[in-house]
Amino acid sequence: MSYVFEPLQQASLAVRGTTDRFPVRRIFCVGRNYEAHAREMGNDPSREPPFFFTKPADAVVDTPCTLAYPTLTDDLHHEIELVIAIGKGGANVAEADVMDHVWGASVGIDMTRRDLQADAKKTGRPWDMAKGFDQSAPIAPLMPLRDVPSVEKGRIWLAVNGTLRQEGDLADLIWSVREHVATLSRAVTLAPGDLIMTGTPAGVAAVVPGDVMTGGVDGIGELEVTIGNRA
């Protein structure tokens, strides 16, 4: 087989404690999966069916890192999230079987051009340019599931320049990992390499060039991301 140009390098993430890389196929994100965050965004936090949006695979960035402040925004926000990595594909996965399809977990930040998202909401347009821009998914090295203490409970937090902004617990997820992964598998056939960012607790806010974000999920991982100059 020949290509009309050389294929781009496979998007991937580091695996903690090894030189291995986890190939990334797709990134799915769960919206409004913590009650307090749903309320701060002006939405009803009831258990309506979970909804999903996507980021391109090559939005992933290993951490620690420095991200260029992206174009087209003056309101760049952080959203700290548990990240689930799929290692076994499947469709219509039962909740009881979800963990058999999970390879590992990590912590990441769903970077968001909030002003573009607000405009998209007002006009009923897609969120793609608000969520799926370059370097919009910095993620800490993945931890294999065998080493993960829990994806059902544990503190999740983010600080900017040492000041705590977001804090919650995985137990506060409106839709648990088992529930929302099973739901997603009814919409698309999951495949090895898929990532699922599982939602963010309250406290999302803007960052500016020079800010340093630190965050983590207890027992799973921590990250550090610096906001660089405008792209």
Side-chain angles (χ1 to χ4, degrees), residues 110-124:
D110 168 17
M111 300 301 299
T112 302
R113 296 193 277 204
R114 190 70 73 200
D115 41 4
L116 297 192
Q117 185 187 35
D119 287 344
K121 289 179 177 180
K122 289 177 184 176
T123 57

Side-chain angles (χ1 to χ4, degrees), residues 10 21 48 51 78 84 119 124 127 132 174 186 198 221 230:
Q10 168 69 53
R21 305 286 300 178
E48 60 183 358
F51 74 93
H78 56 74
I84 297 297
D119 287 344
W127 293 4
I174 296 173
R186 294 196 289 272
T198 63
R230 287 183 177 268

